[in-house]
Amino acid sequence: MIAPVVLAQAPRQGGRPQPIQPESWQLVVLANQARAAQGARPLKWEPALAEAARQHCLRMAAEGPISHQYRGEPDVGGRAGQAGAHFSLIEENVAVASNLALVHRGWMESPGHRANLLNPEVDHVGVAVVASRGMLYAVTDYERAVPVLTQARVEATIAGLVRAQGIALLADPTAARAYCAQSRGARGGSQPGFSMLWQDADLSRLPKALVGRIASGQYRQAAVGSCPPQAVEGAFTVYRVAVLLY
């Protein structure tokens, strides 16, 4: 018989209480204690990751031998994406043991699993524990989360960074959006002196090449545009942005 361990009430999400297994939370607490000892920031709970972990954990318990992927099943990135997670990095630990202390110890004593658990680049976690055949099956998914932003929000974020470099922003993003979507120069109107197009999950800084061009002092104005990303592998979340300098 396969049975998820009894659920308990957890912190509220969107005004409604969300269930977190006490056993799952125990693994989060143990992980955060280990991370604190290494100077890494604590992991925050991510419901979408927890759902992806739950689905895979149930499959593990049904199969018996543990694995990161079974026949006909998406990989961890695909499972997390289907569950609604948005990320630029994702990792997974799986285990089966008679108790949670052994699960955590096993991960800490395995170089690869330990590296996943202590990775300073991940910031969110989802955990599932399933009891079956007298054992506990455990799955922990770790991610570096990416915020979900509208086109306007992406453009406003990059515009703020460009403006901070002393460049005036043009109000009309049409030319930059066209360049973003078509990967070629904007048609009509004045032509930019420099065009930059990139995709990234991190919108906290501008590409070095763009910063260098701005620092040259040749440009006074810029247009910023965003469009859907292209050629993205798997369920990873990135943003596609164009900046035209005039």
Side-chain angles (χ1 to χ4, degrees):
M1 179 178 180
I2 300 171
V5 182
V6 178
L7 301 181
Q9 292 300 312
R12 290 178 177 268
Q13 296 278 341
R16 297 194 306 174
Q18 300 292 314
I20 298 179
Q21 294 172 296
E23 288 76 8
S24 295
W25 190 249
Q26 183 178 339
L27 287 177
V28 176
V29 170
L30 290 171
N32 281 337
Q33 289 174 347
R35 289 172 65 86
Q38 297 297 314
R41 57 186 170 178
L43 299 169
K44 298 178 181 179
W45 185 262
E46 171 49 59
L49 280 185
E51 175 58 21
R54 186 184 73 86
Q55 293 291 339
H56 185 63
C57 201
L58 287 169
R59 180 71 182 269
M60 282 204 320
E63 295 282 349
I66 63 175
S67 174
H68 287 286
Q69 185 177 13
Y70 297 100
R71 178 173 298 185
E73 182 187 40
D75 62 12
V76 60
R79 297 193 300 268
Q82 289 176 358
H86 295 269
F87 50 86
S88 60
L89 170 66
I90 190 161
E91 301 170 332
E92 182 177 74
N93 283 353
V94 301
V96 59
S98 58
N99 61 69
L100 295 177
L102 288 177
V103 170
H104 178 71
R105 189 172 79 185
W107 287 343
M108 291 298 291
E109 291 178 351
S110 164
H113 294 84
R114 178 186 175 91
N116 287 346
L117 192 152
L118 298 179
N119 187 349
E121 296 301 315
V122 299
D123 51 22
H124 284 73
V125 67
V127 185
V129 178
V130 170
S132 180
R133 297 184 289 272
M135 301 295 284
L136 294 179
Y137 291 79
V139 176
T140 297
D141 291 338
Y142 312 89
E143 72 173 9
R144 182 166 65 232
V146 175
V148 181
L149 302 177
T150 64
Q151 180 186 43
R153 185 58 184 164
V154 171
E155 291 172 353
T157 299
I158 298 302
L161 297 176
V162 172
R163 192 179 292 111
Q165 298 289 319
I167 300 293
L169 266 296
L170 299 177
D172 186 359
T174 302
R177 287 178 178 177
Y179 179 74
C180 179
Q182 301 175 27
S183 299
R184 61 175 180 264
R187 296 179 179 178
S190 60
Q191 295 300 303
F194 177 76
S195 302
M196 182 82 187
L197 174 64
W198 75 97
Q199 291 189 171
D200 202 340
D202 184 2
L203 300 181
S204 65
R205 59 183 181 272
L206 300 173
K208 290 182 179 179
L210 179 58
V211 173
R213 283 285 185 159
I214 293 174
S216 71
Q218 301 176 57
Y219 311 101
R220 296 291 180 266
Q221 295 179 310
V224 175
S226 178
C227 61
Q230 299 178 12
V232 179
E233 181 180 352
F236 291 89
T237 297
V238 297
Y239 298 105
R240 188 174 177 89
V241 187
V243 172
L244 310 182
L245 298 180
Y246 299 89

